[in-house]
């Protein structure tokens, strides 16, 4: 069975601090995809990044960066110089093949609060 | 481009009532999903569909039914509403066979009293 663990329920930082959100996953599949989504206070879910299991390259997008390590089954997300607008719940998700489709499993989410 | 549209945004039901949550997408996506989000629990998959006429159960299907008669629409039906079904419901869709990211609707907040 697939599992995604986001051990940090809530993180509170002051603006301009760097913050890392942890994501650990479990699967026996060798082909899978990992995602991060952002859910701001308004409630909608916004896609941030997708990574497949064969691509361990880290990625940077502006103040956001992602560190994918298959050896530790982790896909961590770092926000550099956090801003108040980064306050949101962040979800890590794992998607594995099943019957010709991919079935997603979400973590419980990490609530990030950035104080001015 | 509207993306994924969910209606209604809010609803209060009495125990035992039934209702249908509507979901429509205009992106010609084959894959559609229904999730429920409970506080601190992330998103749980209720049902999903890989194309018109094909649906399958997710992790928490009990108490719900779905249909997919067209590519655009994926309604979720609650037949006998129970307090345990109080939640926020999200519909999502995605394109392609290489696991593209999902596009989410704005959610339906449902309370069963």
């Amino acid at each position: 069975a697939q599992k995604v663990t986001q051990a940090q329920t809530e993180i509170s930082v002051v603006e301009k601090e760097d913050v890392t959100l942890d994501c650990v996953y479990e699967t026996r599949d060798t082909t899978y995809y990992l995602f991060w989504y952002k859910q701001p206070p308004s409630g909608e879910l916004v896609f941030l990044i997708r990574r497949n299991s064969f691509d361990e390259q880290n990625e940077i997008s502006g103040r956001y960066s992602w560190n994918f390590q298959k050896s530790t089954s982790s896909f961590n997300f770092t926000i550099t110089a956090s801003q108040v607008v980064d306050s949101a719940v962040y979800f890590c998700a794992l998607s594995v093949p099943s019957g010709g489709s991919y079935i997603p499993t979400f973590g419980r989410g990490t609530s990030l609060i950035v104080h001015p | 481009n509207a993306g994924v549209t969910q209606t209604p945004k809010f609803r209060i039901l009495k125990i035992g009532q039934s209702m249908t949550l509507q979901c429509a997408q205009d992106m010609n996506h084959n894959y559609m999903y229904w999730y429920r989000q409970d506080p601190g629990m992330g998103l749980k998959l209720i049902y999903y569909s890989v194309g018109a006429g094909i649906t399958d159960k997710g992790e928490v299907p009990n108490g719900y039914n779905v249909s997919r008669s067209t590519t655009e629409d994926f309604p979720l039906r609650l037949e006998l509403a129970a307090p345990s079904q109080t939640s926020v419901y999200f519909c999502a869709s995605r394109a392609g066979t290489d696991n593209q990211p999902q596009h989410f609707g704005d959610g339906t907040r449902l309370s069963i009293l």
Side-chain angles (χ1 to χ4, degrees), chain B residues 6-21:
Chain B
Q6 290 184 237
T7 55
K9 294 192 184 304
F10 305 95
R11 184 74 184 267
I12 298 175
L13 284 182
K14 294 182 179 178
I15 295 172
Q17 286 186 320
S18 62
M19 78 162 293
T20 299
L21 281 64

Side-chain angles (χ1 to χ4, degrees), chain A:
Chain A
Q2 287 65 240
K3 186 177 179 181
V4 176
T5 301
Q6 294 181 256
Q8 304 149 309
T9 304
E10 182 177 296
I11 300 175
S12 184
V13 300
V14 177
E15 211 169 17
K16 297 184 182 176
E17 283 186 37
D18 299 346
V19 57
T20 295
L21 283 62
D22 297 332
C23 174
V24 174
Y25 62 92
E26 296 176 28
T27 180
R28 293 183 178 179
D29 292 276
T30 56
T31 300
Y32 52 87
Y33 288 81
L34 294 161
F35 299 82
W36 277 96
Y37 290 88
K38 175 182 180 179
Q39 186 178 40
S42 51
E44 75 277 17
L45 282 124
V46 179
F47 163 73
L48 295 177
I49 190 171
R50 177 186 76 155
R51 178 67 75 231
N52 74 52
S53 52
F54 300 108
D55 181 4
E56 283 194 77
Q57 276 192 328
N58 293 328
E59 182 156 337
I60 298 174
S61 176
R63 297 184 296 106
Y64 294 173
S65 62
W66 291 269
N67 182 2
F68 177 27
Q69 291 194 341
K70 288 179 73 172
S71 60
T72 56
S73 296
S74 63
F75 187 42
N76 296 337
F77 173 29
T78 297
I79 302 175
T80 302
S82 60
Q83 300 177 0
V84 173
V85 293
D86 296 326
S87 297
V89 180
Y90 291 87
F91 291 98
C92 180
L94 166 69
S95 195
V96 300
S98 175
S101 181
Y102 278 86
I103 304 303
T105 299
F106 282 77
R108 293 189 174 191
T110 296
S111 177
L112 174 64
I113 302 169
V114 181
H115 299 279

Side-chain angles (χ1 to χ4, degrees), chain A residues 33 37 39 50 95 103-104, chain B residues 31 35 37 48 98-99 101-102:
Chain A
Y33 288 81
Y37 290 88
Q39 186 178 40
R50 177 186 76 155
S95 195
I103 304 303
Chain B
Y31 297 82
Y35 296 91
Q37 183 181 22
Y48 67 99
D98 63 345
N99 209 20
Q102 297 175 72

Side-chain angles (χ1 to χ4, degrees), chain B residues 15-80:
Chain B
I15 295 172
Q17 286 186 320
S18 62
M19 78 162 293
T20 299
L21 281 64
Q22 301 291 345
C23 176
Q25 53 92 8
D26 60 0
M27 297 171 283
N28 202 32
H29 288 171
N30 284 331
Y31 297 82
M32 295 189 75
Y33 305 82
W34 272 107
Y35 296 91
R36 60 177 289 172
Q37 183 181 22
D38 300 310
M41 297 300 293
L43 281 80
K44 300 290 187 182
L45 182 64
I46 305 171
Y47 272 95
Y48 67 99
S49 169
V50 301
I54 306 170
T55 63
D56 211 342
K57 296 178 180 178
E59 183 181 357
V60 290
N62 291 344
Y64 307 95
N65 278 301
V66 293
S67 59
R68 186 92 184 271
S69 56
T70 66
T71 298
E72 294 78 19
D73 300 299
F74 190 41
L76 177 71
R77 178 99 178 144
L78 283 72
E79 290 294 350
L80 290 171

